[in-house]
Amino acid sequence: MAELGPVHPTEDAVAALGPLPLTATTVADDSLWGTWLRRNAVHTLPHCVRQLHASGAVDNLRRVTGEVDGEFQNMWFADSDVYKTLEAAAWQLVHTPEDLELRSFLDTTAALLVKAQGEDGYLNSYFTVAKPEKRWQELHWSHELYCAGHLIQAAVAAARAGVGAEIVTVARRFADLIVERFADVNAVDGHPEIETALVELYRVTGHRPYLDLAARFVDLRGHGLLNPDRFGPVYLQDHVPVRQAEAVAGHAVRQLYLLAGVVDVAVETHDDELLAAANRLWEDAFGSKTYLTGAHGSRHRDEAFGDPYELPADRAYAETCAAIASFQWNWRMLLATGDVRHADEMERVLHNAIAGSIAADGEHFFYSNPLHLRTGHDGSHEDAPSQRLPWYSCACCPPNLARLMASLPGYAVTTDHSGLQIQLYTAGEIETTVDGHAVRISLRTDYPWDGRVEITVTTDAPLTLALRIPGWCRTEDVRLDGAAVDPVGGYVRLRRDWARGFTLTLDLPMPARVVRPHPRIDAVRGCVALARGPLVYCVEQADLPDGVTLEDVRIDPSTVMVNRTSVVTLAVAGSVRSADTELYPPAVDETAEPITLTALPYFLWGNRKPGPMRVWIPLS
Amino acid sequence: MAELGPVHPTEDAVAALGPLPLTATTVADDSLWGTWLRRNAVHTLPHCVRQLHASGAVDNLRRVTGEVDGEFQNMWFADSDVYKTLEAAAWQLVHTPEDLELRSFLDTTAALLVKAQGEDGYLNSYFTVAKPEKRWQELHWSHELYCAGHLIQAAVAAARAGVGAEIVTVARRFADLIVERFADVNAVDGHPEIETALVELYRVTGHRPYLDLAARFVDLRGHGLLNPDRFGPVYLQDHVPVRQAEAVAGHAVRQLYLLAGVVDVAVETHDDELLAAANRLWEDAFGSKTYLTGAHGSRHRDEAFGDPYELPADRAYAETCAAIASFQWNWRMLLATGDVRHADEMERVLHNAIAGSIAADGEHFFYSNPLHLRTGHDGSHEDAPSQRLPWYSCACCPPNLARLMASLPGYAVTTDHSGLQIQLYTAGEIETTVDGHAVRISLRTDYPWDGRVEITVTTDAPLTLALRIPGWCRTEDVRLDGAAVDPVGGYVRLRRDWARGFTLTLDLPMPARVVRPHPRIDAVRGCVALARGPLVYCVEQADLPDGVTLEDVRIDPSTVMVNRTSVVTLAVAGSVRSADTELYPPAVDETAEPITLTALPYFLWGNRKPGPMRVWIPLS
C-alpha cells in the first residue's frame, strides 16, 4: 500500500480513472509547482508545527495525558489542526524522507496520540479535558466526528506513506469505537469530514463497516437530526437529504467536504443516484455560485454560499478551506467520471484561490480571499484582514494548505486501463507502470507562464496518452507538433507504440484574455477581468501612481501587452476618473486621465505593502 | 410639560430650532401619513401588545414578581420591547386618549413595573430571574443600560403625554440607581441607548446628574472598557473616542443610537467639539455609506456599516431599527443646526426604508430591507426572509416602528424665535403659538403623490414661515404662487403679516427622476433607479409576464410615464435579455425582447405574492 497518494478508489469502485502513486510524479525544482513544493517543505510545514506548539494545540493533547496543566486552549476543534499537519508531514516524508525534524514531529506526536487515546479508543482533547460529561452529546457543534475524520485522514496518509504506524493504530481504534457507537444510532456531525475519512480508511484497510457507516452518515443528513441551535439546518447541512438536494447552500466548507464524501461513498457502493446528486450540485455550484478564481462562499455571514449569481468581489468570503475542498471534490469527481471539466476547475482553483491564499514567504495566509480589497477597508475582522496573517485563532486554513501542497504531485496525472491522462501541466517526470509495463514521461514546460509543453514518452508497449486541453484554451488554436488538434471531450488522445522515446510538442496559446461576467452577476456589471492561461490577473494599488485611488481606475482592454520577467504581468490601457460627485446624482459626467495599468497574477497580490486590489475593473 | 413630543432641548441648550408640541400638528386622515397613523393605532400597536404577551416578554416581568413560573423566555433584552411599546402607547394616547384598551395596557404594565422593580430601584427581568449574580458584570453584552434607556424613554413619553405617572417614578428610581452606581465608575454598555435617554430624562426633570452621566458615558467610549468578547471593539462602539472618530463603523444601530445621544449631550452641554464630531460622522455616513432608500448597514455580518461605497443592493442589511435611528439622529441634527439636509434625510428614510419595512396590513415587518431580492433567494434567515414576518425572535424592530409612527406628527414642523419651518409635507393642520401669538396653518396637499401644497396661515403678529425645498427638487422649477422661488439654504422664508389668513401655493414639480449611483459603488454599476418626489421606486416580479426572470430585465429610462391610481406608479420601456451564457464568458452577445416595465413605490413592495424585487435596474 506504501506510496499511494490521497483518494484511491478500490478495485471494486465504479470509477473512470485512477490516481498514480505519489512518488510517480517528480515536479521540476525550477517550475512554479516546484517553488510551491519547496516552500511548503521548508517554510509552511515547519511554520505550522511551530504554531501548533505556540498556540497550545499540541499542549491540549498533553493535558489529556497529564503532561501539561491548565485549561484547554484554542478552538474546541483545534485537535484537527494537529491532525492536518500530521497528514501533511506524512505526505511530505514521501518526498523528503531525510527530513529528520519533520519525522521527529510525526513520531513524537504519534506517540502522544497513543498516550492520549482513551481505554475505549476515544480521542478528543477538548471533550476529555473540558467537557467529559458531554461526550457525543453535542454533535451539532462539537466537531467530534470532524476531528476524528482528520485523525483518520492523517492515518490514511501515514499508511500510504509508510510512516507513523502508531497513527494508523490509534485511528483504527477510534474508528472502531465510532462504528460501535453510531452503526445503529441516528446521528450525524454538524461539520462533515468523517464521511470521506471513513471511506478512505476502508480503502486502506478493506474493513467494510467503515464504508457502511460513511454511507449511513451521508444518508442521515437532511432529516432534522441536528439541533439547529444558533445557525440553523442549512448551515449544518441538515436541511435536505443529499439525494434530493438541488442547490449547494449553507456553510461552504461543510457543503464541499460533504460532497467529497458523497462521491467517495457513491463510487465504492456503486450508487448512481448519489453520484447524480453530486453532479447536480456541481452544476449548481459552478453554474452560478463560483468566483472567477474558483473560490466559493459569497457571504461572510455563516461563511456561506449565496443566492444564484450573488458573487460580490469585495465581500467574497472565498475561504481558503473551501477552495481546497473544491479541489478535493473535483479530484474525486474527475476520478469518478473522467469529465475534463473537473480537471479544469482543479487547475483554476489551485492557481488562483488556493495559490493566492499563501504569501510568497510561505508563512502568512488569507482565511478569506476577496477579489477586491477596497480603499478604506475595515480590516478589523481577523478572517478578513487587509493582509495575510501568520496564524488564526480558527487555524483551519494553514495546515490545510500544507497537506494539499505536500500531496500536490499526486494530482497531476491519472490512469485508466489503457493509458495515462495528463490532467495538470507542470515541468517534471512521471515514472509508473500501466498494465504491467513501465512508462516514463518527461514534461518540459514553463507552464503556467508559457503554454508550450514538450512531452517525451518511453514505454515498451502501446499506450494511450491523453493530453488535457484546458477549458480556457480555444481549441482551434491548439497545436500538436505544429498541426491543429482535434480533442474529444477535452482531451487529445494518442495511442502509439512509444518504445523509441517519442517527443511531442503541445502548444496551448496563451494570449491575454478579457473575461466578462454573466449578465446576472450584479456585483461586477460593467467590469472585465484579465486572464492568461489558467491565471486570473488583478490590479494593485501598489502599481498605481501616487494620488490615484484604485476605485477610480477604468480599463480599456482593447489591447493588452504581455510582459515576461520572473513572472508574466500584463500592461493595459486605462484611465482615472476625476469627477467627484454626490452619492446618488441625477447624472454622472466623468472626465478621465489616461493611464497604463499593470496587472499581475492574482495569486501574487498582497506581497508588497498592504493596499487595495481588484480583479474586476470597470470599463472606461 | 404635558403634550411635548420626543426630543425637547431645554431653554439652555444651544439649538437652532425647537420642536412643536405633539398636539400642535393634526395630520389629515386621507393623507398618506394619515393612513400610516391610523394603521399604527388600529393594527400595529395592538399587534405589538398581543405579541409581547404571546412571546413571553411580559411574562418575564411577571416572573420577577412571582406571578408566573418557569424559565426566562426570549432574548435577554426583551424587556426593551415592552418599554418601546409602552413608549408608543404613551405617544398614541396623546392622539387617541379614548383608546381604553391601549390605556389598559399602559396602566397594567406600569403597575407590573412598579411591582417588578427591586428595593434599590434595579429593574431587569433577565438579570433578576436568570442571572442575579451577574448584575452589572457583563456590560459588553448584557444590554442592562440599553434596556434601562428604553424604560427611561417610555417614562419621558409618559411624562410628556401626561399618562402613566408610575412609569416616570419607576424610571427615575432606576435612573437614580444608575447614577449612584456609575457616576464614578469607568464603564459603558455594549449597546448605546442610555445616553440619549438620560438627556431626555434630564430635559423632563431638570435633574443635572442625568445629563452629566450621559456626557460621561459618551466620553468613556473608545478606551477599551468593554470586553470585546465575540464581536470586537468596532461592533461595540469602543474602538475610538467619539471626539476623534472619522468614520461610522460597526453595528449600525449601535453607532446611530450613540450618535443621537452625542447630539443630545452636545446641545445641552454646549459642546462644539462633540457636535463637530457628529457632523463629521454624518458626512461620512451620508457621503459613502447610505442606501438610496436612506437605509444604513451594508453587511449582514455584525449588522454593520461597510467600507466606503460598499453598498450591495441584494445583501443590504438595512435594518429597520437603523433606519429609525437615522431618522432620530437627523431630527436631533436638524434641531441642533437648522441644516436642511437633515430634513431631507428624514424625509428620504421615512418614505422609503422605514415605510417599506411594514406591510400594508400593519402587522408584518421586515428586519432587513434589501434593495434587491434575488430570484432563488435563500430566505432561511429569520432576519432576511423572502417576505415580511409577523414577529421576530429578536423583536426590536416592530415596536420601534410603533413608537416612531405614534409620534410622527411631531416631526413635521419646527420653530425658532421668529417663526415656523415646514420640514416634512403632509396634509393637515398646525395650531401652535409663536412668541406668544396663536398661529394656525392649514396644509392642503396630496403629497407625496403630488407636489402642490396650498398653505393658509392665520396669525395676529408678523411671523416668518420657512418652507423647505426638498433636495430632490430642482430649485429652478419650484414656484410659489406661480413665481420662481429663491430659496436660501434650502428654505423659502416668508416674513409677513398673516393676519387675514394668507393662502400660498407651493409647487414642487414631481417628474419621474432617473438616479445614477456614484461611480465607486460597484454593486449597482450600469444600473439606474427611478424616483419621484421623495419616493424611490422598484420593479417587482409580480408585474412581469410569466417566464420572465427579474434578473434578465433591462431598462431604457429615456421616457418614463407617470400613472396615478390610488398610488403613483411609473411605466418605463425595458427589455428582457434572452441569451444564456456561461458564468465567465469571453464575450456576451445579448439579444433582447422589448417590454414595458411597471415600477411602484419601494415602500409598497412585497404586498402581493412573495417574489423578487429590485430598485436598481441594469440599463439596456
Side-chain angles (χ1 to χ4, degrees), chain B residues 46 49-50 93 98-108:
Chain B
V49 171
R50 284 195 299 274
L93 286 168
E98 73 291 350
D99 186 336
L100 298 183
E101 253 183 74
L102 195 59
R103 192 172 287 272
S104 160
F105 163 74
L106 186 122
D107 291 340
T108 313

Side-chain angles (χ1 to χ4, degrees), chain A residues 10-11 70 77 89 233 258 267 317 344 363 372 401 430 510 517 522 538 563:
Chain A
T10 63
E11 292 293 313
F77 48 83
L258 175 60
V267 298
Y317 196 69
D344 282 345
E363 300 185 7
H372 180 185
L401 282 162
I430 301 152
M510 283 193 181
D522 292 281
C538 69
N563 294 323

Side-chain angles (χ1 to χ4, degrees), chain A residues 58-71 111-118 123-125 128-129:
Chain A
V58 172
D59 277 352
N60 287 330
L61 289 157
R62 293 198 177 120
R63 284 188 179 92
V64 177
T65 64
E67 294 163 65
V68 171
D69 288 334
E71 285 190 11
L112 176 61
L113 295 181
V114 171
K115 229 173 134 189
Q117 185 163 39
L123 179 50
N124 182 298
S125 70
T128 304
V129 169

Side-chain angles (χ1 to χ4, degrees), chain A residues 82 89 109 112 128 180 182 244 253 295 482 516 529 531 546 556:
Chain A
V82 179
T109 312
L112 176 61
T128 304
E180 190 188 313
F182 291 101
Q244 293 161 32
V253 173
R516 286 172 166 74
D546 286 349
D556 169 10

